[in-house]
Amino acid sequence: MCQAWGNPSSSHPTGRDQDGLGSVVMGARGSCQVWSCRQEGEGAHRQRTGEPGQDAGRPPRGHRLHLRGHGGGSRGDPLPGNPCPPPPLQQAAIRRVGMNGTVLLLSLHFPSLSSLQANNMVIHTACRHFHESQCWRGDSRGTPHIVTSSVEHDSIRLPLEQLGREGLAEATFVPVSPRSGQAEVDDVLAAIRPNTCLVSLMLANNETGVIMPVAELSQRVCALNQRRAAEGLPRVLVHTDAAQMIGKGRVDVQELGVDYLTIVGHKFHGPRIGALYARGPGTATPLHPMLFGGGQERSFRPGTENTPMIAGLGQAAELVSKNWEAYEAHMRDVRDYLEATLEASFGKQRICFNSHFKGSKRLCNTCNFSILGPGLQGRRVLAHCKVLLASVGAACHSEKGDRPSPVLLSCGIPLEVARNALRLSVGRSTARADVDRAVQDLVQAVEQLERDLAP
Ligand SMILES: Cc1ncc(COP(=O)(O)O)c(C=O)c1O
């Protein structure tokens, strides 16, 4: 039996979770169960998770997520597949209060979106808002400009590149600092131009796990916006893609001070659905729909809502709100054990940790490392593993063959080290015994490769 390691991604060709974080099987009436996926030889079977909060994903008895129907449905009916769409789901906002009273996820807005749609919607909104604010000033010229980092997920990078090719927007990809692995606030601010309408900075990077200084950035942009308003310049909106951070650390939209925040359910044991948080959508913060044809979710995201998925997302968010500190402590313990075991097994000189940057905080679950030596490219090592399934980087880049990760290269990791990179992410259910087995497997894979390579 082997545990699949790595970041779960809906884009993984096998459709399997890559770190055993779980997939969701929906029950009737909006209930859901979270399962962890472990492979047994070729045949995968599912096991219920045994982790902090044993019944992870199981709604408490009698639990109802109230998504009230309207327009003919009986109000208060939590009916999945209800032909009568629920009212604005943001009003049935899933408010979850953390253990010490902190609101972690203030509410989930527009939970029918995929995270990719959420990111695209923010970019689209910022560009529309730019044009509208220019028109009000009697100036319809100009191209909106967006600032982001060089290590964003493709769902930010690719739409910006596309808009750039079409001449509809300009983008600056601020390089991360090789010292910190972060996009530094001063560098991001320095990239802002008079025509900048959006700054988008991920909360934590999906390959290195480095946590970005989003709260400080929002504060500084807020101060800058006051000066810009006095000069008649468009407001700079702030977005963060929190896909990697939710479930692994504290996420508080108030503290972060962002206008928009992207949520990805399957990164925290929820269903494969995303959501977009917007601060005062359509009032405090602009929001423009990308789709038309229905009145659901105040027409910001029309189309019949996928009620069971939304219910699952709400349940997963509630578990995170209640238990994130326990989840984080467990994952940090196991991840640190993994790193210590790797060093002990291969020797400190042979292991390079690609996510250790002095002075930067990082996610509790991510371990990105290279086993140094010729012929030990990440893919080759994994191909010789007998039980370990993992990714060499972002699962959505799995088609990119043996090319070293551009994210690692842009963090200043040397080419020969980046080529050998492996990314292991521990999950809530990963135990130290899983780590021992994974590292033993890596040791035998490297021994085998070195025997094969010997003259
Ligand atoms: C930072 C970040 N944003 C967005 C996504 C998009 O997630 P998905 O395409 O799985 O919905 C991912 C997935 O790994 C991610 O890491």
Side-chain angles (χ1 to χ4, degrees):
M1 184 169 81
C2 77
Q3 169 132 25
W5 294 63
N7 218 350
S9 168
S10 52
S11 58
H12 192 273
T14 62
R16 290 189 305 237
D17 286 307
Q18 290 297 289
D19 66 354
L21 279 187
S23 56
V24 172
V25 180
M26 294 298 170
R29 297 206 146 244
S31 67
C32 69
Q33 293 171 305
V34 177
W35 305 75
S36 76
C37 182
R38 288 164 184 258
Q39 279 73 41
E40 186 105 61
E42 287 298 303
H45 74 273
R46 287 171 187 277
Q47 267 186 0
R48 198 160 300 164
T49 53
E51 58 200 24
Q54 285 284 320
D55 272 339
R58 283 204 136 190
R61 248 173 229 286
H63 168 86
R64 290 273 195 288
L65 186 82
H66 292 287
L67 300 175
R68 278 158 294 164
H70 72 123
S74 61
R75 288 186 168 265
D77 267 355
L79 293 176
N82 186 350
C84 307
L89 286 173
Q90 57 275 22
Q91 282 172 22
I94 305 152
R95 287 178 189 275
R96 303 299 181 211
V97 180
M99 287 196 296
N100 48 14
T102 317
V103 178
L104 293 174
L105 300 176
L106 190 65
S107 60
L108 299 180
H109 288 163
F110 316 113
S112 307
L113 289 165
S114 78
S115 58
L116 184 140
Q117 287 168 335
N119 285 350
N120 276 258
M121 189 174 181
V122 170
I123 294 170
H124 167 78
T125 288
C127 292
R128 275 281 305 271
H129 183 64
F130 172 85
H131 287 300
E132 284 180 2
S133 50
Q134 296 296 90
C135 285
W136 292 331
R137 293 184 184 97
D139 179 2
S140 57
R141 292 163 304 156
T143 308
H145 173 246
I146 293 165
V147 181
T148 189
S149 83
S150 60
V151 296
E152 297 297 312
H153 188 261
D154 278 358
S155 52
I156 290 290
R157 188 174 62 81
L158 295 182
L160 290 179
E161 288 178 355
Q162 181 62 26
L163 289 172
R165 276 192 293 275
E166 292 173 10
L168 297 174
E170 297 165 350
T172 301
F173 296 88
V174 175
V176 293
S177 150
R179 190 188 49 79
S180 65
Q182 292 179 335
E184 301 291 359
V185 173
D186 285 338
D187 295 340
V188 175
L189 290 174
I192 292 178
R193 304 176 189 165
N195 58 333
T196 301
C197 58
L198 176 70
V199 169
S200 178
L201 181 60
M202 67 199 330
L203 198 47
N205 182 262
N206 46 322
E207 291 191 46
T208 60
V210 168
I211 296 172
M212 302 287 175
V214 172
E216 187 193 340
L217 179 67
S218 304
Q219 270 179 15
R220 304 261 307 264
V221 171
C222 183
L224 178 69
N225 274 334
Q226 285 169 10
R227 297 198 292 278
R228 284 172 69 96
E231 292 169 30
L233 293 173
R235 171 176 163 201
V236 178
L237 299 159
V238 181
H239 165 245
T240 191
D241 177 346
Q244 294 292 336
M245 185 80 172
I246 296 173
K248 296 158 201 156
R250 180 187 176 86
V251 178
D252 181 330
V253 288
Q254 303 288 26
E255 273 175 22
L256 289 171
V258 292
D259 296 300
Y260 311 100
L261 180 141
T262 297
I263 296 158
V264 182
H266 48 275
K267 304 291 184 198
F268 55 98
H269 291 225
R272 292 182 166 197
I273 189 172
L276 178 67
Y277 163 81
R279 181 182 301 282
T283 52
T285 1
L287 197 64
H288 291 287
M290 297 185 77
L291 305 171
F292 297 88
Q296 295 89 348
E297 302 196 51
R298 285 194 271 162
S299 298
F300 286 123
R301 194 279 178 199
T304 302
E305 298 90 342
N306 189 338
T307 312
M309 298 289 262
I310 294 166
L313 184 66
Q315 184 64 30
E318 180 169 20
L319 286 166
V320 163
S321 271
K322 284 189 182 141
N323 304 316
W324 70 269
E325 282 163 312
Y327 296 155
E328 185 186 29
H330 171 77
M331 286 188 262
R332 190 176 301 285
D333 174 72
V334 178
R335 194 274 315 276
D336 290 350
Y337 177 71
L338 166 64
E339 295 192 344
T341 310
L342 283 167
E343 278 191 345
S345 305
F346 289 97
K348 274 193 177 185
Q349 306 308 320
R350 288 201 77 186
I351 292 286
C352 179
F353 291 114
N354 303 320
S355 39
H356 290 190
F357 293 91
K358 277 212 174 81
S360 291
K361 291 197 177 130
R362 61 185 176 126
L363 292 177
C364 57
N365 72 325
T366 309
C367 172
N368 192 318
F369 66 100
S370 301
I371 306 168
L372 303 179
L376 297 181
Q377 291 89 341
R379 264 172 208 281
R380 297 188 72 185
V381 172
L382 286 179
H384 284 74
C385 283
K386 293 191 163 70
V387 294
L388 177 69
L389 295 173
S391 66
V392 295
C396 39
H397 291 161
S398 51
E399 83 290 359
K400 294 204 172 139
D402 277 332
R403 276 195 279 156
S405 150
V407 166
L408 293 186
L409 294 178
S410 71
C411 291
I413 307 291
L415 186 72
E416 63 282 7
V417 178
R419 267 205 205 107
N420 290 12
L422 291 167
R423 185 187 62 166
L424 301 188
S425 314
V426 305
R428 292 180 200 168
S429 57
T430 312
R432 286 182 172 218
D434 296 320
V435 166
D436 291 336
R437 300 188 61 230
V439 176
Q440 276 164 21
D441 200 21
L442 284 168
V443 168
Q444 73 72 30
V446 168
E447 284 171 359
Q448 176 71 53
L449 269 168
E450 287 180 331
R451 272 197 300 278
D452 296 349
L453 289 168

